Amino acid sequence: MASSFKCDAGISRYLQLKAPHVEGFSLVNDENETPRDLLAKAKVLVIGAGGLGCEILKNLAMSGFNDIHVIDMDTIDLSNLNRQFLFRKDDVGKPKAEVAAAFIRRRSPHVSITSHFKRIQEMPEEFYLDFTLIICGLDSIEARRWINALICGLVEEHGFKGFKPIIDGGTEGLRGNARVILPSINACLDCGLDLYSKKVTYPICTIANTPRLPEHCIEWASVLEWPRIFSDKKLDGDDPDHINWVVEKASARAADFNISGINYSLAQGVVKNIIPAIASTNAIVAAVCTNEALKAVTTCNPYLDNYMFYSGLEGVYMFSFPYARNPDCLVCGKKEGSLSLPADTALEDLITALRESPVFQLRAPTLSLGQTNLYFQKPKELEELTRPNLAKSIGELFESGSTLTVTDPTLTTSLSVTVTFC
């Protein structure tokens, strides 16, 4: 506890520093608040309590932030313990957000920290309006896109009240990045979708006929066999029974092709597309995110403008640059897109194009044209009703130049996509 106050005192001294040879300089803003006052009243939301989130929470608590909330829908797995240092073996199976908050509370009792064991999509709009800024430590691009779209929408709807800076961090092995997103002012996350690594995929013909790697056998079990045997049940990468089933089936197939190396960890990594994590990279990126939060809240120094890239692959390299805002962005730009496809393209292939296009990168798009439902992913009844349209050509379903309404789990609002025939 004593060390916590020492850290707090160190931050206070830093925030009280004045530049030499400057007369008449005041550390008080128009509301008579000092940088220390701004820090004390800041309310910060940390999204994700994993590798990055643990580091960020620790840094925030030791940097003078007094009101912290953390939200995460995940529970602690044994494989997390090598880098997510707020957890212990006895915590396996417990909610990450709750355990992380309890640890910070014990270590820094002067900090108010509140946990939320929920999906970010479950929280109402008013929840997000209550924060000074948001720090994302997520390993899911889909979740990062969703919160980015939500906060950009809050600015449009509520003006300055909805303005919540987002500090977004991400790591992949020995590489990492951090960015400061000022909604409606600079580039949002969707403006730079091409910066993010695509999910590793394997040719279906290789998976089905000539597997050469353990990953091919795992994909065969999870992508081809699971839907065939369990047509009404979705494979859950966090369910041990599901993953053990995949391991069993993949191992049997691997034996037929003299392939070795299949285990539970690899199977879960392939199913969930887990990105390799290194604790030290998490620490570097989390430190940048926390420093940017401190600067944004207190205005003690200029904040990052607006993207930082770190690489430790060959030596050490770090570079920052202002990523330009995209006027055609689907979230903060005109919210419209276009596709040009042959008229005989099946609707199912149009949906695939929306998934694979670097512009859209949608996960499970639902399509409609006016009052006509072309294809709905959910609910089950509507999916079954619109499923026959998947095999139909787009020329049968609508005219060239038609503007479709598209919704997707990665977005908080719909977007318009104009399809022309080539």
Side-chain angles (χ1 to χ4, degrees), residues 202-380:
Y202 303 98
I204 198 70
C205 57
T206 301
I207 296 171
N209 302 313
T210 56
R212 298 184 298 276
L213 301 170
E215 289 86 350
H216 294 161
C217 299
I218 295 168
E219 283 280 281
W220 172 84
S222 60
V223 175
L224 299 180
E225 281 298 283
W226 180 276
R228 185 179 69 82
I229 296 175
F230 305 104
S231 58
D232 59 341
K233 186 187 297 184
K234 182 179 179 181
L235 178 60
D236 184 353
D238 293 311
D239 189 320
D241 292 336
H242 290 197
I243 298 301
N244 282 326
W245 184 92
V246 170
V247 171
E248 180 184 347
K249 296 296 180 182
S251 297
R253 183 166 178 80
D256 292 339
F257 290 87
N258 296 316
I259 297 171
S260 61
I262 292 176
N263 54 48
Y264 186 97
S265 178
L266 179 63
Q268 188 176 49
V270 171
V271 170
K272 295 180 65 177
N273 192 37
I274 293 175
I275 298 171
I278 296 177
S280 53
T281 309
N282 287 338
I284 292 168
V285 173
V288 172
C289 290
T290 307
N291 282 348
E292 293 310 311
L294 179 68
K295 292 188 288 184
V297 166
T298 65
T299 68
C300 64
N301 282 89
Y303 47 76
L304 173 68
D305 181 25
N306 53 7
Y307 188 93
M308 183 280 297
F309 172 75
Y310 163 81
S311 176
L313 292 175
E314 298 180 10
V316 176
Y317 174 79
M318 186 176 285
F319 178 65
S320 65
F321 62 95
Y323 196 90
R325 193 174 178 185
N326 179 7
D328 296 324
C329 177
L330 300 175
V331 173
C332 70
K334 61 183 182 180
K335 299 184 181 178
E336 297 176 355
S338 61
L339 282 175
S340 182
L341 299 167
D344 60 356
T345 300
L347 185 67
E348 185 172 20
D349 293 330
L350 185 154
I351 292 174
T352 300
L354 290 171
R355 288 186 180 129
E356 297 180 352
S357 164
V359 174
F360 297 101
Q361 294 191 37
L362 303 183
R363 181 166 68 89
T366 286
L367 313 179
S368 59
L369 176 62
Q371 300 299 313
T372 303
N373 297 330
L374 296 176
Y375 181 68
F376 269 62
Q377 301 277 353
K378 295 180 180 179
K380 182 179 179 182

Side-chain angles (χ1 to χ4, degrees), residues 44-65 68-70 83-86 100 104 111 113 133-138 167-171 177-178 279 281-294:
V44 180
L45 173 64
V46 177
I47 302 179
L52 265 180
C54 285
E55 291 278 358
I56 292 169
L57 289 169
K58 176 261 295 181
N59 291 348
L60 290 174
M62 304 299 283
S63 298
F65 288 88
I68 305 168
H69 285 239
V70 55
R83 62 195 181 280
Q84 299 176 21
F85 57 88
L86 300 184
I104 296 296
V111 174
I113 182 164
L133 61 78
I134 296 168
I135 306 178
C136 294
L138 294 161
I167 299 172
D168 178 76
T171 67
N177 65 81
T281 309
N282 287 338
I284 292 168
V285 173
V288 172
C289 290
T290 307
N291 282 348
E292 293 310 311
L294 179 68

Side-chain angles (χ1 to χ4, degrees), residues 29 31 33 36-43 66-67 132 297:
N29 66 9
E31 281 74 41
E33 296 170 314
R36 189 67 186 84
D37 295 331
L38 295 171
L39 181 62
K41 77 172 189 177
K43 187 174 183 178
N66 294 326
D67 193 353
T132 307
V297 166

Side-chain angles (χ1 to χ4, degrees), residues 104-155:
I104 296 296
R105 207 175 286 120
R106 290 194 303 271
R107 178 64 179 79
S108 303
H110 64 289
V111 174
S112 171
I113 182 164
T114 307
S115 63
H116 305 274
F117 177 41
K118 291 187 176 182
R119 299 171 68 246
I120 54 175
Q121 294 86 349
E122 294 178 43
M123 307 305 285
E125 186 178 280
E126 293 74 21
F127 173 77
Y128 295 101
L129 285 170
D130 202 30
F131 293 98
T132 307
L133 61 78
I134 296 168
I135 306 178
C136 294
L138 294 161
D139 58 5
S140 164
I141 293 296
E142 293 172 6
R144 292 158 85 177
R145 291 186 69 187
W146 188 90
I147 194 67
N148 172 73
L150 174 74
I151 301 304
C152 288
L154 291 183
V155 175

